[in-house]
PDB file of all heavy atoms in Angstrom:
ATOM      1  N   TYR D   1      -2.767  15.228   6.709  1.00 97.00           N
ATOM      2  CA  TYR D   1      -2.084  15.323   8.012  1.00 97.00           C
ATOM      3  C   TYR D   1      -0.965  16.358   7.972  1.00 97.00           C
ATOM      4  O   TYR D   1      -0.832  17.175   8.876  1.00 97.00           O
ATOM      5  CB  TYR D   1      -1.533  13.948   8.389  1.00 97.00           C
ATOM      6  CG  TYR D   1      -0.768  13.915   9.687  1.00 97.00           C
ATOM      7  CD1 TYR D   1      -1.403  14.202  10.897  1.00 97.00           C
ATOM      8  CD2 TYR D   1       0.592  13.603   9.709  1.00 97.00           C
ATOM      9  CE1 TYR D   1      -0.707  14.171  12.096  1.00 97.00           C
ATOM     10  CE2 TYR D   1       1.303  13.567  10.900  1.00 97.00           C
ATOM     11  CZ  TYR D   1       0.645  13.851  12.093  1.00 97.00           C
ATOM     12  OH  TYR D   1       1.337  13.828  13.284  1.00 97.00           O
ATOM     13  N   ASP D   2      -0.164  16.325   6.919  1.00 95.00           N
ATOM     14  CA  ASP D   2       0.919  17.300   6.767  1.00 95.00           C
ATOM     15  C   ASP D   2       1.132  17.521   5.276  1.00 95.00           C
ATOM     16  O   ASP D   2       1.954  16.868   4.635  1.00 95.00           O
ATOM     17  CB  ASP D   2       2.201  16.798   7.435  1.00 95.00           C
ATOM     18  CG  ASP D   2       3.299  17.859   7.454  1.00 95.00           C
ATOM     19  OD1 ASP D   2       3.155  18.873   6.733  1.00 95.00           O
ATOM     20  OD2 ASP D   2       4.295  17.682   8.174  1.00 95.00           O
ATOM     21  N   SER D   3       0.368  18.446   4.740  1.00 96.00           N
ATOM     22  CA  SER D   3       0.269  18.624   3.290  1.00 96.00           C
ATOM     23  C   SER D   3       1.597  18.982   2.631  1.00 96.00           C
ATOM     24  O   SER D   3       1.810  18.690   1.450  1.00 96.00           O
ATOM     25  CB  SER D   3      -0.761  19.713   2.981  1.00 96.00           C
ATOM     26  OG  SER D   3      -0.921  19.861   1.593  1.00 96.00           O
ATOM     27  N   ARG D   4       2.504  19.593   3.400  1.00 95.00           N
ATOM     28  CA  ARG D   4       3.758  20.053   2.791  1.00 95.00           C
ATOM     29  C   ARG D   4       4.940  19.134   3.098  1.00 95.00           C
ATOM     30  O   ARG D   4       6.079  19.460   2.787  1.00 95.00           O
ATOM     31  CB  ARG D   4       4.048  21.475   3.270  1.00 95.00           C
ATOM     32  CG  ARG D   4       2.942  22.444   2.842  1.00 95.00           C
ATOM     33  CD  ARG D   4       3.106  23.823   3.422  1.00 95.00           C
ATOM     34  NE  ARG D   4       4.256  24.526   2.873  1.00 95.00           N
ATOM     35  CZ  ARG D   4       4.588  25.769   3.191  1.00 95.00           C
ATOM     36  NH1 ARG D   4       3.860  26.444   4.064  1.00 95.00           N
ATOM     37  NH2 ARG D   4       5.651  26.329   2.653  1.00 95.00           N
ATOM     38  N   SER D   5       4.670  17.990   3.687  1.00 95.00           N
ATOM     39  CA  SER D   5       5.750  17.059   4.031  1.00 95.00           C
ATOM     40  C   SER D   5       6.294  16.376   2.776  1.00 95.00           C
ATOM     41  O   SER D   5       5.647  16.346   1.722  1.00 95.00           O
ATOM     42  CB  SER D   5       5.234  15.999   5.003  1.00 95.00           C
ATOM     43  OG  SER D   5       4.245  15.205   4.373  1.00 95.00           O
ATOM     44  N   THR D   6       7.482  15.798   2.905  1.00 94.00           N
ATOM     45  CA  THR D   6       8.070  15.088   1.755  1.00 94.00           C
ATOM     46  C   THR D   6       7.218  13.867   1.382  1.00 94.00           C
ATOM     47  O   THR D   6       7.098  13.525   0.213  1.00 94.00           O
ATOM     48  CB  THR D   6       9.502  14.603   2.069  1.00 94.00           C
ATOM     49  OG1 THR D   6       9.479  13.819   3.261  1.00 94.00           O
ATOM     50  CG2 THR D   6      10.447  15.769   2.252  1.00 94.00           C
ATOM     51  N   GLY D   7       6.599  13.235   2.392  1.00 95.00           N
ATOM     52  CA  GLY D   7       5.732  12.083   2.116  1.00 95.00           C
ATOM     53  C   GLY D   7       4.528  12.476   1.271  1.00 95.00           C
ATOM     54  O   GLY D   7       4.165  11.784   0.311  1.00 95.00           O
ATOM     55  N   ALA D   8       3.902  13.599   1.616  1.00 96.00           N
ATOM     56  CA  ALA D   8       2.741  14.082   0.849  1.00 96.00           C
ATOM     57  C   ALA D   8       3.145  14.415  -0.582  1.00 96.00           C
ATOM     58  O   ALA D   8       2.461  14.032  -1.547  1.00 96.00           O
ATOM     59  CB  ALA D   8       2.136  15.306   1.535  1.00 96.00           C
ATOM     60  N   GLU D   9       4.274  15.110  -0.731  1.00 96.00           N
ATOM     61  CA  GLU D   9       4.733  15.470  -2.083  1.00 96.00           C
ATOM     62  C   GLU D   9       5.051  14.220  -2.901  1.00 96.00           C
ATOM     63  O   GLU D   9       4.755  14.153  -4.096  1.00 96.00           O
ATOM     64  CB  GLU D   9       5.967  16.385  -1.989  1.00 96.00           C
ATOM     65  CG  GLU D   9       5.653  17.797  -1.523  1.00 96.00           C
ATOM     66  CD  GLU D   9       4.580  18.479  -2.375  1.00 96.00           C
ATOM     67  OE1 GLU D   9       4.591  18.319  -3.605  1.00 96.00           O
ATOM     68  OE2 GLU D   9       3.710  19.163  -1.799  1.00 96.00           O
ATOM     69  N   SER D  10       5.648  13.222  -2.257  1.00 97.00           N
ATOM     70  CA  SER D  10       6.001  11.987  -2.972  1.00 97.00           C
ATOM     71  C   SER D  10       4.756  11.258  -3.468  1.00 97.00           C
ATOM     72  O   SER D  10       4.705  10.798  -4.616  1.00 97.00           O
ATOM     73  CB  SER D  10       6.806  11.054  -2.060  1.00 97.00           C
ATOM     74  OG  SER D  10       8.019  11.663  -1.686  1.00 97.00           O
ATOM     75  N   TYR D  11       3.740  11.150  -2.608  1.00 97.00           N
ATOM     76  CA  TYR D  11       2.528  10.449  -3.041  1.00 97.00           C
ATOM     77  C   TYR D  11       1.738  11.251  -4.089  1.00 97.00           C
ATOM     78  O   TYR D  11       1.078  10.674  -4.954  1.00 97.00           O
ATOM     79  CB  TYR D  11       1.656  10.060  -1.841  1.00 97.00           C
ATOM     80  CG  TYR D  11       2.105   8.727  -1.263  1.00 97.00           C
ATOM     81  CD1 TYR D  11       2.755   8.654  -0.040  1.00 97.00           C
ATOM     82  CD2 TYR D  11       1.915   7.538  -1.977  1.00 97.00           C
ATOM     83  CE1 TYR D  11       3.202   7.427   0.462  1.00 97.00           C
ATOM     84  CE2 TYR D  11       2.361   6.327  -1.485  1.00 97.00           C
ATOM     85  CZ  TYR D  11       2.993   6.270  -0.264  1.00 97.00           C
ATOM     86  OH  TYR D  11       3.429   5.060   0.207  1.00 97.00           O
ATOM     87  N   ARG D  12       1.834  12.574  -4.031  1.00 97.00           N
ATOM     88  CA  ARG D  12       1.225  13.378  -5.114  1.00 97.00           C
ATOM     89  C   ARG D  12       1.923  13.091  -6.449  1.00 97.00           C
ATOM     90  O   ARG D  12       1.272  12.968  -7.492  1.00 97.00           O
ATOM     91  CB  ARG D  12       1.321  14.870  -4.791  1.00 97.00           C
ATOM     92  CG  ARG D  12       0.340  15.325  -3.738  1.00 97.00           C
ATOM     93  CD  ARG D  12       0.271  16.848  -3.643  1.00 97.00           C
ATOM     94  NE  ARG D  12      -0.567  17.240  -2.526  1.00 97.00           N
ATOM     95  CZ  ARG D  12      -0.101  17.704  -1.358  1.00 97.00           C
ATOM     96  NH1 ARG D  12       1.205  17.868  -1.178  1.00 97.00           N
ATOM     97  NH2 ARG D  12      -0.939  18.032  -0.391  1.00 97.00           N
ATOM     98  N   LEU D  13       3.246  12.999  -6.409  1.00 97.00           N
ATOM     99  CA  LEU D  13       4.003  12.687  -7.633  1.00 97.00           C
ATOM    100  C   LEU D  13       3.659  11.292  -8.150  1.00 97.00           C
ATOM    101  O   LEU D  13       3.509  11.086  -9.361  1.00 97.00           O
ATOM    102  CB  LEU D  13       5.510  12.798  -7.371  1.00 97.00           C
ATOM    103  CG  LEU D  13       6.061  14.211  -7.183  1.00 97.00           C
ATOM    104  CD1 LEU D  13       7.506  14.152  -6.705  1.00 97.00           C
ATOM    105  CD2 LEU D  13       5.959  15.003  -8.491  1.00 97.00           C
ATOM    106  N   LEU D  14       3.514  10.326  -7.220  1.00 97.00           N
ATOM    107  CA  LEU D  14       3.140   8.970  -7.629  1.00 97.00           C
ATOM    108  C   LEU D  14       1.748   8.973  -8.261  1.00 97.00           C
ATOM    109  O   LEU D  14       1.530   8.342  -9.309  1.00 97.00           O
ATOM    110  CB  LEU D  14       3.173   8.024  -6.423  1.00 97.00           C
ATOM    111  CG  LEU D  14       2.791   6.565  -6.728  1.00 97.00           C
ATOM    112  CD1 LEU D  14       3.776   5.923  -7.702  1.00 97.00           C
ATOM    113  CD2 LEU D  14       2.710   5.741  -5.442  1.00 97.00           C
ATOM    114  N   ALA D  15       0.811   9.693  -7.648  1.00 97.00           N
ATOM    115  CA  ALA D  15      -0.549   9.776  -8.201  1.00 97.00           C
ATOM    116  C   ALA D  15      -0.523  10.363  -9.611  1.00 97.00           C
ATOM    117  O   ALA D  15      -1.211   9.895 -10.519  1.00 97.00           O
ATOM    118  CB  ALA D  15      -1.441  10.623  -7.284  1.00 97.00           C
ATOM    119  N   LYS D  16       0.316  11.371  -9.797  1.00 97.00           N
ATOM    120  CA  LYS D  16       0.439  12.003 -11.120  1.00 97.00           C
ATOM    121  C   LYS D  16       0.980  11.002 -12.141  1.00 97.00           C
ATOM    122  O   LYS D  16       0.474  10.906 -13.269  1.00 97.00           O
ATOM    123  CB  LYS D  16       1.366  13.223 -11.019  1.00 97.00           C
ATOM    124  CG  LYS D  16       1.272  14.179 -12.188  1.00 97.00           C
ATOM    125  CD  LYS D  16       2.095  15.437 -11.945  1.00 97.00           C
ATOM    126  CE  LYS D  16       1.420  16.350 -10.953  1.00 97.00           C
ATOM    127  NZ  LYS D  16       2.140  17.638 -10.812  1.00 97.00           N
ATOM    128  N   GLU D  17       1.989  10.234 -11.730  1.00 95.00           N
ATOM    129  CA  GLU D  17       2.551   9.207 -12.621  1.00 95.00           C
ATOM    130  C   GLU D  17       1.494   8.161 -12.986  1.00 95.00           C
ATOM    131  O   GLU D  17       1.386   7.745 -14.138  1.00 95.00           O
ATOM    132  CB  GLU D  17       3.745   8.518 -11.955  1.00 95.00           C
ATOM    133  CG  GLU D  17       5.068   9.216 -12.133  1.00 95.00           C
ATOM    134  CD  GLU D  17       6.236   8.287 -11.790  1.00 95.00           C
ATOM    135  OE1 GLU D  17       6.650   7.519 -12.675  1.00 95.00           O
ATOM    136  OE2 GLU D  17       6.709   8.330 -10.644  1.00 95.00           O
ATOM    137  N   VAL D  18       0.737   7.727 -11.984  1.00 95.00           N
ATOM    138  CA  VAL D  18      -0.308   6.723 -12.210  1.00 95.00           C
ATOM    139  C   VAL D  18      -1.354   7.261 -13.184  1.00 95.00           C
ATOM    140  O   VAL D  18      -1.771   6.577 -14.119  1.00 95.00           O
ATOM    141  CB  VAL D  18      -0.967   6.294 -10.873  1.00 95.00           C
ATOM    142  CG1 VAL D  18      -2.240   5.495 -11.106  1.00 95.00           C
ATOM    143  CG2 VAL D  18       0.033   5.475 -10.034  1.00 95.00           C
ATOM    144  N   MET D  19      -1.758   8.508 -12.988  1.00 95.00           N
ATOM    145  CA  MET D  19      -2.780   9.120 -13.862  1.00 95.00           C
ATOM    146  C   MET D  19      -2.258   9.287 -15.297  1.00 95.00           C
ATOM    147  O   MET D  19      -3.031   9.215 -16.250  1.00 95.00           O
ATOM    148  CB  MET D  19      -3.210  10.481 -13.310  1.00 95.00           C
ATOM    149  CG  MET D  19      -4.071  10.375 -12.078  1.00 95.00           C
ATOM    150  SD  MET D  19      -4.736  11.976 -11.549  1.00 95.00           S
ATOM    151  CE  MET D  19      -3.303  12.789 -10.866  1.00 95.00           C
ATOM    152  N   ASN D  20      -0.960   9.528 -15.418  1.00 92.00           N
ATOM    153  CA  ASN D  20      -0.393   9.798 -16.745  1.00 92.00           C
ATOM    154  C   ASN D  20      -0.040   8.561 -17.548  1.00 92.00           C
ATOM    155  O   ASN D  20       0.381   8.663 -18.699  1.00 92.00           O
ATOM    156  CB  ASN D  20       0.853  10.683 -16.616  1.00 92.00           C
ATOM    157  CG  ASN D  20       0.510  12.104 -16.228  1.00 92.00           C
ATOM    158  OD1 ASN D  20      -0.631  12.534 -16.397  1.00 92.00           O
ATOM    159  ND2 ASN D  20       1.462  12.842 -15.678  1.00 92.00           N
ATOM    160  N   ARG D  21      -0.188   7.381 -16.948  1.00 86.00           N
ATOM    161  CA  ARG D  21       0.135   6.150 -17.689  1.00 86.00           C
ATOM    162  C   ARG D  21      -0.870   5.969 -18.823  1.00 86.00           C
ATOM    163  O   ARG D  21      -2.057   5.849 -18.623  1.00 86.00           O
ATOM    164  CB  ARG D  21       0.039   4.924 -16.748  1.00 86.00           C
ATOM    165  CG  ARG D  21       1.209   4.742 -15.823  1.00 86.00           C
ATOM    166  CD  ARG D  21       2.487   4.287 -16.517  1.00 86.00           C
ATOM    167  NE  ARG D  21       2.416   2.945 -17.028  1.00 86.00           N
ATOM    168  CZ  ARG D  21       2.611   1.848 -16.326  1.00 86.00           C
ATOM    169  NH1 ARG D  21       2.881   1.921 -15.028  1.00 86.00           N
ATOM    170  NH2 ARG D  21       2.562   0.656 -16.892  1.00 86.00           N
ATOM    171  N   LYS D  22      -0.348   5.917 -20.036  1.00 78.00           N
ATOM    172  CA  LYS D  22      -1.239   5.766 -21.203  1.00 78.00           C
ATOM    173  C   LYS D  22      -1.181   4.356 -21.782  1.00 78.00           C
ATOM    174  O   LYS D  22      -1.926   3.999 -22.678  1.00 78.00           O
ATOM    175  CB  LYS D  22      -0.821   6.777 -22.301  1.00 78.00           C
ATOM    176  CG  LYS D  22      -0.925   8.229 -21.884  1.00 78.00           C
ATOM    177  CD  LYS D  22      -2.376   8.680 -21.765  1.00 78.00           C
ATOM    178  CE  LYS D  22      -2.478  10.149 -21.433  1.00 78.00           C
ATOM    179  NZ  LYS D  22      -2.558  10.446 -20.017  1.00 78.00           N
ATOM    180  N   ASP D  23      -0.237   3.543 -21.275  1.00 75.00           N
ATOM    181  CA  ASP D  23      -0.028   2.221 -21.889  1.00 75.00           C
ATOM    182  C   ASP D  23      -0.842   1.124 -21.206  1.00 75.00           C
ATOM    183  O   ASP D  23      -0.684  -0.051 -21.495  1.00 75.00           O
ATOM    184  CB  ASP D  23       1.470   1.861 -21.830  1.00 75.00           C
ATOM    185  CG  ASP D  23       2.030   1.908 -20.412  1.00 75.00           C
ATOM    186  OD1 ASP D  23       1.474   2.672 -19.594  1.00 75.00           O
ATOM    187  OD2 ASP D  23       3.004   1.198 -20.133  1.00 75.00           O
ATOM    188  N   ILE D  24      -1.722   1.502 -20.279  1.00 71.00           N
ATOM    189  CA  ILE D  24      -2.527   0.484 -19.572  1.00 71.00           C
ATOM    190  C   ILE D  24      -3.979   0.632 -19.973  1.00 71.00           C
ATOM    191  O   ILE D  24      -4.509   1.710 -19.976  1.00 71.00           O
ATOM    192  CB  ILE D  24      -2.371   0.646 -18.029  1.00 71.00           C
ATOM    193  CG1 ILE D  24      -0.964   0.283 -17.615  1.00 71.00           C
ATOM    194  CG2 ILE D  24      -3.368  -0.219 -17.286  1.00 71.00           C
ATOM    195  CD1 ILE D  24      -0.638   0.497 -16.160  1.00 71.00           C
TER     196      ILE D  24
END
């Protein structure tokens, strides 16, 4: 919907954190 919005950037960062979790 708005690729450059702060909401989009925040969820991209969350997705990156989720993908990088190695302890699960």
Side-chain angles (χ1 to χ4, degrees):
Y1 178 64
D2 187 347
S3 183
R4 298 174 69 178
S5 65
T6 54
E9 287 305 320
S10 298
Y11 274 108
R12 285 191 186 104
L13 288 171
L14 180 63
K16 196 173 285 186
E17 274 196 84
V18 168
M19 287 187 287
N20 289 341
R21 282 289 292 278
K22 299 289 184 268
D23 56 333
I24 292 175

